[in-house]
Amino acid sequence: IPLLDTALARLAELLGGDPEVPGSGAAGGTGFGLLAWGARLVPGAEAVAKLIDLPERIAAASLVRTGEGRFDGQSAGGKAPVEVARLATEASLPCAIVAGSIDPSAISASMHGFSAALSLTELAGSAAAAMSDPQRWLRQAGAQLASAQRARAPEA
């Protein structure tokens, strides 16, 4: 490892790049290679949100739901659900997350702007049960979120 680190540091020096730039080591150094070719590294979730006009779509919504296979400590580091929640918060809309599994320490730390969080693993009783019939558990999660939303909605 020290030999490889030394060789990679020399390569970075020859290419004139900074291997300490956040994201430059991602995917085995792909980020650094892209920087060496003149690319710009930007947070992926934010860039994709802009490309698909997500801020405008959220602004036209009345509530927001997002999801992820596993919500954990890495999710707060720029993954899509946290970006969706940020945009929903900016638009003053509630945002719930449904995930296959949720690390309780990751979600309870600050809730990351989510008004609700549901784990399919918890709903189903186990990861195996959730994965054996995900459609059933997604429907149940949707029903629970809709019921909670109706309970919070003011009467017309």
Side-chain angles (χ1 to χ4, degrees), residues 16 53 81:
D53 298 321

Side-chain angles (χ1 to χ4, degrees), residues 45-65:
E46 184 180 329
V48 171
K50 286 179 184 173
L51 284 172
I52 63 171
D53 298 321
L54 190 58
E56 292 80 10
R57 292 171 189 254
I58 286 176
S62 57
L63 65 124
V64 179
R65 303 290 183 247

Side-chain angles (χ1 to χ4, degrees), residues 7-121:
L8 287 173
R10 176 69 179 133
L11 178 61
E13 183 182 314
L14 291 171
L15 292 173
D18 180 1
E20 300 302 317
V21 171
S24 64
T30 301
F32 181 82
L34 292 170
L35 285 171
W37 285 339
R40 217 172 27 98
L41 294 182
V42 297
E46 184 180 329
V48 171
K50 286 179 184 173
L51 284 172
I52 63 171
D53 298 321
L54 190 58
E56 292 80 10
R57 292 171 189 254
I58 286 176
S62 57
L63 65 124
V64 179
R65 303 290 183 247
T66 188
E68 185 169 26
R70 174 165 172 74
F71 191 92
D72 58 23
Q74 291 185 359
S75 300
K79 288 195 173 182
V82 173
E83 177 66 9
V84 171
R86 184 187 71 74
L87 293 170
T89 299
E90 283 181 3
S92 300
L93 290 170
C95 180
I97 183 168
V98 176
S101 65
I102 297 175
D103 178 348
S105 65
I107 200 74
S108 63
S110 68
M111 280 298 285
H112 303 288
F114 298 113
S115 58
L118 289 175
S119 161
L120 301 184
T121 297

